[in-house]
């Protein structure tokens, strides 16, 4: 079956998907770290929701912020230290510090934004945090595994929010967003989430959201015909790579290539072709 992670990788770079499929798994360390970090960010969201329920109208701004922070940074450090201990990740002290500082900065910003929103909402509604928490955290399911035998598609949806009987797929991204809208790769991946949800819950999904965590902003994606068509084309191309071992063309994009663990291998393939 095609995994959602394969769609994500293909949209980043088709050659990367090919190399991940047919080379030794040791080359995929960064991919596994990325998945663990995504789950860590989801855990932080859960802790934030839990802490918001403790807040009362009598608390001032500083007390609210302190309450929202409870256990979060300790959990972050403990989780990253556990990841660092995994031999297969081969995480250096410098890499550990880089990841910790990035997520800690994101979390600090997220807490400050939610402190302001919570204080304002409590004042307007004259309610405690335990009542207004649903304004910020909808009824939802996290990391929900779904498969569609007809499309031969399987994957884990980061989050599914349920509002008035409607299902909304949410995809978390730690990258910076474009100036407007969302990246094409993010939209196609979200469309795959939508189709899986439709199959699993016998419903229709008209819109989903990409949540760019660095700026704490959620951006909508309409599940229209063109987006769904793009998804089916991507699924066909992935089948060509995974089932028929067809090697895609190397498309060099400097920023992506410089951050890819397969950079040296792609360069070697280009040299081999030239010879």
């Amino acid at each position: 079956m095609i995994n959602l992670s394969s769609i994500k990788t293909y949209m980043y770079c088709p050659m990367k998907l090919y190399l991940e499929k047919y080379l030794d798994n040791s080359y995929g360390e960064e991919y596994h770290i990325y998945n663990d970090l995504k789950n860590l960010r989801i855990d932080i969201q859960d802790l934030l929701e839990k802490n918001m329920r403790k807040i009362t109208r009598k608390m001032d701004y500083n007390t609210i912020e302190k309450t929202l922070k409870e256990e979060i940074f300790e959990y972050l450090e403990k989780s990253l230290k556990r990841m660092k201990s995994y031999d297969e990740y081969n995480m250096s002290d410098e890499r550990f510090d880089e990841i910790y500082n990035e997520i800690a900065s994101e979390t600090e910003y997220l807490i400050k934004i939610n402190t302001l929103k919570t204080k304002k909402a409590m004042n307007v509604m004259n309610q405690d945090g335990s009542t207004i928490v649903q304004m910020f955290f909808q009824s939802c399911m996290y990391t929900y595994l779904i498969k569609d035998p007809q499309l031969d598609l399987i994957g884990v949806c980061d989050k599914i929010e349920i509002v008035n009987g409607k299902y909304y797929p949410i995809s978390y991204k730690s990258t910076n967003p474009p100036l407007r809208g969302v990246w094409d790769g993010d939209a196609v991946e979200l469309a795959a989430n939508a189709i899986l949800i439709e199959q699993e819950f016998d419903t229709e999904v008209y819109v989903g959201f990409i949540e760019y965590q660095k700026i704490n902003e959620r951006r909508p994606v309409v599940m229209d015909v063109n987006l769904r068509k793009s998804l089916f084309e991507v699924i066909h191309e992935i089948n060509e790579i995974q089932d028929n071992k067809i090697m895609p063309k190397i498309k060099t994009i400097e920023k992506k290539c410089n951050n890819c663990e397969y950079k040296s291998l792609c360069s070697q393939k280009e040299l081999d072709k030239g010879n």
Side-chain angles (χ1 to χ4, degrees), residues 34-192:
Y34 169 84
N35 269 346
D36 279 349
L37 293 181
K38 176 181 281 190
N39 290 331
L40 176 56
R41 288 180 167 98
I42 291 173
D43 289 344
I44 289 173
Q45 288 274 355
D46 285 342
L47 285 172
L48 191 59
E49 178 180 354
K50 173 186 171 184
N51 291 341
M52 189 177 290
R53 297 182 185 275
K54 304 176 185 177
I55 294 171
T56 65
R57 286 166 289 168
K58 296 180 180 180
M59 292 180 177
D60 59 19
Y61 178 91
N62 291 331
T63 306
I64 293 174
E65 183 175 0
K66 183 178 179 181
T67 303
L68 289 179
K69 284 183 177 180
E70 287 181 5
E71 301 181 21
I72 288 181
F73 289 96
E74 293 83 358
Y75 180 80
L76 170 60
E77 184 174 7
K78 181 179 178 181
S79 299
L80 288 179
K81 283 183 176 178
R82 184 174 64 251
M83 287 175 59
K84 187 176 184 296
S85 69
Y86 297 159
D87 292 337
E88 61 268 28
Y89 284 177
N90 193 28
M91 190 187 297
S92 65
D93 291 340
E94 292 77 12
R95 179 65 169 142
F96 173 87
D97 291 339
E98 177 188 349
I99 293 174
Y100 178 84
N101 290 335
E102 178 181 346
I103 299 182
S105 178
E106 290 175 14
T107 304
E108 190 76 40
Y109 176 74
L110 182 64
I111 289 172
K112 288 185 180 298
I113 290 294
N114 276 277
T115 299
L116 288 169
K117 288 182 177 179
T118 303
K119 183 65 174 174
K120 183 175 181 180
M122 288 193 300
N123 289 340
V124 170
M125 300 181 65
N126 197 29
Q127 299 287 343
D128 291 333
S130 57
T131 302
I132 67 166
V133 68
Q134 291 303 323
M135 293 177 57
F136 303 96
F137 302 94
Q138 301 290 340
S139 176
C140 61
M141 296 175 282
Y142 284 112
T143 57
Y144 192 91
L145 178 65
I146 318 177
K147 63 180 178 180
D148 184 340
Q150 291 183 336
L151 278 178
D152 204 28
L153 186 64
I154 187 172
V156 174
C157 299
D158 289 346
K159 183 179 180 182
I160 304 171
E161 290 187 354
I162 308 167
V163 183
N164 297 327
K166 301 294 184 181
Y167 291 76
Y168 299 91
I170 314 295
S171 183
Y172 291 111
K173 298 298 175 184
S174 59
T175 54
N176 287 316
L179 188 60
R180 294 181 181 178
V182 304
W183 299 115
D184 289 344
D186 294 343
V188 169
E189 185 185 351
L190 191 64

